[in-house]
Coordinates of all heavy atoms in Angstrom, one line a residue:
G314 N 60.0 297.2 238.8 CA 58.7 298.0 238.9 C 58.1 297.5 240.3 O 58.4 296.7 241.0
D315 N 57.0 298.5 240.8 CA 56.4 298.3 242.0 C 55.2 297.4 241.8 O 54.4 297.7 240.9 CB 55.9 299.6 242.5 CG 57.0 300.6 242.9 OD1 58.1 300.0 243.6 OD2 57.0 301.7 242.6
V316 N 55.0 296.4 242.7 CA 53.8 295.6 242.7 C 52.6 296.4 243.2 O 52.7 296.8 244.3 CB 54.0 294.2 243.6 CG1 52.8 293.5 243.6 CG2 55.2 293.5 243.0
L317 N 51.7 296.5 242.3 CA 50.5 297.1 242.7 C 49.4 296.2 243.3 O 48.5 296.6 244.0 CB 49.9 297.9 241.6 CG 50.9 299.0 240.9 CD1 50.1 299.5 239.7 CD2 51.2 300.0 241.9
G318 N 49.5 295.1 242.9 CA 48.5 294.0 243.5 C 48.8 292.6 242.8 O 49.5 292.6 241.7
S319 N 48.2 291.5 243.5 CA 48.4 290.2 243.0 C 47.1 289.4 243.2 O 46.6 289.5 244.1 CB 49.6 289.4 243.6 OG 50.8 290.1 243.3
D320 N 46.8 288.5 242.3 CA 45.7 287.7 242.5 C 45.8 286.5 241.6 O 46.0 286.6 240.4 CB 44.4 288.4 242.2 CG 43.1 287.6 242.5 OD1 43.2 286.9 243.7 OD2 42.1 287.8 241.8
R321 N 45.6 285.2 242.3 CA 45.6 284.0 241.5 C 46.7 283.9 240.5 O 46.5 283.5 239.3 CB 44.3 283.9 240.7 CG 43.0 283.9 241.6 CD 41.8 283.8 240.8 NE 40.7 284.0 241.9 CZ 39.7 283.0 242.0 NH1 39.7 282.0 241.3 NH2 38.7 283.2 242.7
G322 N 48.0 284.2 241.0 CA 49.2 283.9 240.1 C 49.4 284.9 239.1 O 50.4 284.8 238.3
K323 N 48.7 285.9 239.2 CA 48.9 287.2 238.1 C 49.2 288.3 239.0 O 48.7 288.5 240.1 CB 47.6 287.4 237.2 CG 47.3 286.2 236.5 CD 48.2 285.9 235.4 CE 47.6 284.8 234.5 NZ 48.4 284.5 233.4
M324 N 50.1 289.2 238.5 CA 50.5 290.4 239.2 C 50.2 291.6 238.4 O 50.0 291.6 237.2 CB 52.0 290.5 239.4 CG 52.4 289.2 240.3 SD 54.2 289.2 240.4 CE 54.7 290.8 241.0
E325 N 50.0 292.8 239.1 CA 49.9 294.1 238.4 C 51.3 294.9 238.9 O 51.4 295.0 240.1 CB 48.6 294.8 238.9 CG 48.3 296.0 238.2 CD 47.0 296.6 238.6 OE1 46.1 295.9 239.2 OE2 46.9 297.9 238.5
V326 N 51.9 295.4 237.9 CA 53.3 296.0 238.2 C 53.2 297.3 237.5 O 53.0 297.3 236.3 CB 54.5 295.1 237.9 CG1 55.7 295.8 238.0 CG2 54.3 293.8 238.6
S327 N 53.8 298.3 238.1 CA 53.9 299.6 237.5 C 55.4 299.8 237.4 O 56.2 299.8 238.4 CB 53.5 300.7 238.4 OG 53.9 301.9 237.9
A328 N 55.9 299.7 236.1 CA 57.4 300.1 235.7 C 57.4 301.0 234.7 O 56.7 302.1 234.9 CB 58.0 298.8 235.3
S329 N 58.1 301.0 233.5 CA 57.9 301.8 232.6 C 56.5 302.0 232.0 O 56.4 302.8 231.2 CB 59.0 301.5 231.4 OG 58.6 300.2 230.8
S330 N 55.8 301.0 232.1 CA 54.4 301.0 231.8 C 53.6 300.2 232.8 O 54.2 299.5 233.7 CB 54.1 300.5 230.4 OG 54.5 299.2 230.2
E331 N 52.4 300.1 232.7 CA 51.5 299.3 233.5 C 51.4 297.9 233.1 O 51.0 297.8 231.8 CB 50.2 299.9 233.8 CG 50.0 301.2 234.5 CD 50.2 301.2 236.0 OE1 49.8 300.1 236.5 OE2 51.0 302.0 236.5
F332 N 51.7 296.9 233.7 CA 51.7 295.5 233.4 C 50.5 294.9 234.2 O 50.6 294.9 235.4 CB 52.9 294.8 233.7 CG 54.2 295.2 232.9 CD1 55.0 296.1 233.4 CD2 54.4 294.7 231.7 CE1 56.1 296.5 232.8 CE2 55.4 295.2 230.8 CZ 56.4 296.0 231.4
N333 N 49.5 294.5 233.5 CA 48.3 293.8 234.1 C 48.3 292.4 233.9 O 48.7 291.9 232.8 CB 47.1 294.4 233.6 CG 47.0 295.9 234.0 OD1 47.0 296.3 235.2 ND2 46.8 296.8 233.0
K334 N 47.8 291.5 234.7 CA 47.8 290.0 234.7 C 49.1 289.5 234.2 O 49.2 288.6 233.3 CB 46.6 289.7 233.6 CG 45.3 290.1 234.0 CD 44.2 289.7 233.1 CE 42.9 290.3 233.7 NZ 41.8 289.9 232.8
L335 N 50.1 290.0 234.8 CA 51.5 289.6 234.5 C 51.7 288.1 235.2 O 51.6 288.0 236.5 CB 52.5 290.6 235.0 CG 53.8 290.5 234.7 CD1 54.1 290.8 233.3 CD2 54.7 291.7 235.5
P336 N 52.1 287.2 234.4 CA 52.4 285.8 235.1 C 53.7 285.8 236.0 O 54.6 286.7 235.6 CB 52.4 284.8 233.9 CG 52.8 285.7 232.7 CD 52.2 287.2 233.1
L337 N 53.7 285.1 236.9 CA 54.9 285.0 237.7 C 55.7 283.8 237.4 O 55.2 282.7 237.5 CB 54.6 285.0 239.3 CG 55.7 284.7 240.3 CD1 56.8 286.1 240.1 CD2 55.2 284.7 241.6
A338 N 57.0 283.8 237.0 CA 57.8 282.8 236.7 C 58.6 282.4 238.0 O 59.1 283.2 238.8 CB 59.0 283.0 235.7
A339 N 58.5 281.0 238.5 CA 59.1 280.7 239.7 C 59.6 279.2 239.4 O 59.2 278.5 238.6 CB 58.1 280.7 240.8
P340 N 60.6 278.7 240.3 CA 61.0 277.3 240.1 C 59.8 276.4 240.3 O 58.9 276.8 241.2 CB 62.0 277.2 241.3 CG 62.5 278.6 241.6 CD 61.3 279.5 241.3
Y341 N 59.8 275.2 239.7 CA 58.7 274.3 239.9 C 58.6 274.1 241.4 O 59.6 273.7 242.0 CB 59.1 273.0 239.1 CG 57.9 272.0 239.3 CD1 56.8 272.1 238.7 CD2 58.2 270.9 240.3 CE1 55.7 271.1 238.8 CE2 57.2 270.0 240.5 CZ 55.9 270.1 239.8 OH 54.9 269.2 240.0
G342 N 57.3 273.9 241.8 CA 57.0 273.6 243.2 C 57.0 274.7 244.1 O 56.6 274.6 245.3
I343 N 57.3 276.0 243.7 CA 57.2 277.1 244.5 C 56.1 278.0 244.1 O 56.2 278.4 242.8 CB 58.5 277.8 244.6 CG1 59.6 276.8 245.3 CG2 58.4 279.2 245.4 CD1 60.9 277.4 245.3
A344 N 55.2 278.5 244.8 CA 54.1 279.3 244.3 C 54.0 280.4 245.4 O 54.2 280.1 246.6 CB 52.8 278.7 244.1
S345 N 53.7 281.7 244.9 CA 53.6 282.8 245.9 C 52.8 283.8 245.2 O 52.6 283.9 244.0 CB 55.0 283.5 246.3 OG 55.5 284.0 245.0
V346 N 52.2 284.7 246.1 CA 51.5 286.0 245.7 C 52.3 287.1 246.2 O 52.3 287.2 247.5 CB 50.1 285.8 246.2 CG1 49.3 287.0 245.8 CG2 49.4 284.5 245.7
S347 N 52.9 287.9 245.4 CA 53.7 289.0 245.8 C 52.9 290.1 246.5 O 51.9 290.5 245.9 CB 54.6 289.5 244.8 OG 55.5 288.5 244.2
P348 N 53.1 290.6 247.7 CA 52.5 291.6 248.3 C 52.6 293.0 247.7 O 53.8 293.3 247.1 CB 53.0 291.6 249.8 CG 54.2 290.9 249.7 CD 54.3 290.1 248.6
E349 N 51.5 293.8 247.7 CA 51.7 295.1 247.2 C 52.9 295.8 247.9 O 53.3 295.6 249.0 CB 50.4 296.0 247.7 CG 50.3 297.2 246.9 CD 48.8 297.7 247.3 OE1 47.9 297.0 247.1 OE2 48.8 299.0 247.5
G350 N 53.6 296.7 247.0 CA 54.7 297.3 247.4 C 56.1 296.9 247.3 O 57.1 297.5 247.4
E351 N 56.1 295.5 246.9 CA 57.5 294.9 246.7 C 57.9 295.4 245.3 O 57.2 295.8 244.5 CB 57.3 293.4 246.7 CG 57.0 292.8 248.0 CD 58.1 292.8 249.1 OE1 59.3 292.8 248.7 OE2 57.7 293.1 250.2
R352 N 59.3 295.2 245.0 CA 59.9 295.5 243.8 C 60.0 294.3 242.9 O 60.7 293.3 243.4 CB 61.2 296.2 244.0 CG 61.2 297.4 244.7 CD 60.8 298.7 243.9 NE 61.8 298.9 242.8 CZ 61.4 299.7 241.8 NH1 60.4 300.2 241.8 NH2 62.3 299.9 240.8
S353 N 59.2 294.3 241.8 CA 59.2 293.0 240.9 C 60.3 293.3 239.8 O 60.5 294.5 239.4 CB 57.9 292.9 240.3 OG 57.8 291.9 239.5
V354 N 60.9 292.2 239.4 CA 61.8 292.2 238.1 C 61.0 291.7 237.0 O 60.4 290.6 237.0 CB 63.0 291.4 238.3 CG1 63.8 291.3 237.1 CG2 63.9 291.9 239.6
V355 N 60.7 292.5 236.0 CA 59.9 292.1 235.0 C 60.8 292.0 233.6 O 61.7 292.8 233.4 CB 58.9 293.3 234.4 CG1 58.0 292.9 233.3 CG2 57.9 293.6 235.8
L356 N 60.6 290.8 233.1 CA 61.4 290.5 231.8 C 60.6 290.2 230.6 O 59.4 289.5 230.8 CB 62.2 289.2 232.2 CG 63.1 288.6 231.0 CD1 64.2 289.4 230.7 CD2 63.6 287.2 231.6
N357 N 60.9 290.6 229.4 CA 60.2 290.3 228.2 C 60.7 289.0 227.7 O 61.8 288.9 227.5 CB 60.5 291.4 227.1 CG 59.6 291.2 225.9 OD1 59.2 290.1 225.6 ND2 59.2 292.3 225.3
A358 N 59.9 288.0 227.6 CA 60.3 286.7 227.2 C 59.4 286.3 225.9 O 58.2 286.0 226.0 CB 60.1 285.7 228.3

């Protein structure tokens, strides 16, 4: 889905539905804020 925005470790992604306050899983010690317009991979965990 498309990243619509990110703030404080949470993302908003538009895919089959709108995902709000979506947490970002990343390897320990790596943190990022994905910029708007990137393609995110969303997984149901």
